[in-house]
Each structure stands twice: as structure tokens, then as C-alpha cells.
Amino acid sequence: MALIEGIEAERLLADKEYDRDAVVQGVLERGMNPVIPPGRKWREQREYDRYPYRLRHLVESGFCEFKVWRGKATRYAKKVSLYLANCHIRAILIRAKII
């Protein structure tokens, strides 16, 4: 559970691949609500909040947009500050397209 060490949140959203007893138990011990759909292999299907799980594709789509832009941005930005400025511009453009 080193990935979530020191993080405070209400929920932990994760894919079905993280549906392990140890992961779910570790999330519960840290006071978070696991939003992890149960795998099909489990006989007892655990309940989870479906609405936030459906919205996680927006975050994944945003990362995909940044990956597409990364090749163009790294060609021209040789300094970290310029690359960060390109990331901010791209985030503004992505947000404008979503609204």
C-alpha cells in the first residue's frame, strides 16, 4: 500500500485489477471508502459507489490528451518551466473543449 501512503481522501477509485482483499482492507484501515468494482470471480459481490467510478474516465481521457500533446511540447520546450507552461496551456485547451 505504498502508493497511498500519506494520502488523505474520502474515496479511492481503482480498476478491477486492484480488487484484492489486502488492498481493500488497507484502504478501509486508512479511513477511505474503496470504489473498486468486484471481479467476476468473486462469489460475494461487494457493493461500491457506481457514480464516481463512471466519472473516472474523464481523468483517464485527460491523461490521454496530455500524452498526445507531450510529443509536440517536448520538441520545443527544452527547459522545465517552458514544458510546464505548455502543460498549463494544454490543460486550458482541454477544459475549454469539455465545457
Side-chain angles (χ1 to χ4, degrees), residues 19-38:
D19 180 34
R20 305 284 183 266
D21 290 334
V23 173
V24 173
Q25 192 62 29
V27 170
L28 290 172
E29 287 173 0
R30 287 171 175 77
M32 293 186 240
N33 183 16
V35 182
I36 305 171

Side-chain angles (χ1 to χ4, degrees), residues 30-49:
R30 287 171 175 77
M32 293 186 240
N33 183 16
V35 182
I36 305 171
R40 294 181 186 179
K41 64 183 178 185
W42 298 109
R43 289 184 188 172
E44 296 178 18
Q45 296 290 309
R46 182 177 28 80
E47 290 294 320
Y48 68 101
D49 195 359

Side-chain angles (χ1 to χ4, degrees), residues 17-85:
E17 288 81 23
Y18 293 97
D19 180 34
R20 305 284 183 266
D21 290 334
V23 173
V24 173
Q25 192 62 29
V27 170
L28 290 172
E29 287 173 0
R30 287 171 175 77
M32 293 186 240
N33 183 16
V35 182
I36 305 171
R40 294 181 186 179
K41 64 183 178 185
W42 298 109
R43 289 184 188 172
E44 296 178 18
Q45 296 290 309
R46 182 177 28 80
E47 290 294 320
Y48 68 101
D49 195 359
R50 293 174 189 269
Y51 182 71
Y53 186 74
R54 287 185 198 155
L55 293 179
R56 74 179 173 77
H57 78 87
L58 295 174
V59 175
E60 290 179 6
S61 298
F63 280 113
C64 288
E65 289 281 338
F66 270 107
K67 286 180 183 179
V68 170
W69 182 262
R70 181 184 65 191
K72 297 172 187 171
T74 54
R75 182 179 303 150
Y76 301 108
K78 301 300 180 192
K79 294 183 179 180
V80 175
S81 60
L82 293 175
Y83 182 74
L84 183 61

